[in-house]
Amino acid sequence: MNKIEAIIQPTQVDAVKNALVNIGIQGMTVVPVEGFGQQKGYDLFYRGTVYTPRFLAKSKIEIVVMEEMTDLVVETIAATVRTGHIGDGKIFVLPVIEAIRVRTNEKAGSALTA
């Protein structure tokens, strides 16, 4: 199993969700996050003064999938959010040692299905 974490623009969350549902993904977690990378931030005006926030609003999507689905999920997310501009996001893939559904005590792949 692998955990896929994607840091994307908040405006892209619904498009990613719909694309993942279309390839059979049954669940995901979305968390609002803040960060910076090459974008560095943007300027705001507050009471006549220029203010540069330290971090930009992003969304983090977390999905745990079986190994054989990893490439398809990563490709789907990347294709959905790619604009070719700085700030499109990042995708990380991490190994998952174990998954357990608390309600039934199912483990591994059984814990990931509905």
Side-chain angles (χ1 to χ4, degrees), residues 29-50:
T29 301
V30 178
V31 182
V33 295
E34 294 181 331
F36 73 92
Q38 289 183 345
Q39 275 181 299
K40 305 278 191 272
Y42 52 92
D43 291 336
L44 295 175
F45 293 94
Y46 179 72
R47 296 186 177 182
T49 306
V50 176

Side-chain angles (χ1 to χ4, degrees), residues 55-66:
F55 300 104
L56 298 174
K58 301 287 184 176
S59 292
K60 179 165 77 167
I61 295 175
E62 299 177 348
I63 307 161
V64 177
V65 297
M66 296 304 290

Side-chain angles (χ1 to χ4, degrees), residues 50-107:
V50 176
Y51 165 70
T52 303
R54 294 182 304 173
F55 300 104
L56 298 174
K58 301 287 184 176
S59 292
K60 179 165 77 167
I61 295 175
E62 299 177 348
I63 307 161
V64 177
V65 297
M66 296 304 290
E67 185 102 18
E68 58 271 10
M69 286 292 291
T70 301
D71 289 339
L72 178 59
V73 171
V74 168
E75 291 167 12
T76 300
I77 294 170
T80 303
V81 303
R82 184 178 297 117
T83 66
H85 295 98
I86 292 173
D88 280 349
K90 295 269 193 300
I91 299 173
F92 306 97
V93 178
L94 302 102
V96 172
I97 297 169
E98 183 69 89
I100 302 163
R101 184 187 314 262
V102 174
R103 176 177 52 89
T104 61
N105 207 33
E106 293 171 277
K107 297 186 184 213

Side-chain angles (χ1 to χ4, degrees), residues 4-23:
I4 300 166
E5 293 184 358
I7 310 295
I8 63 170
Q9 297 288 345
T11 57
Q12 297 287 350
V13 171
D14 285 334
V16 170
K17 176 193 170 249
N18 293 335
L20 291 174
V21 167
N22 286 338
I23 64 167

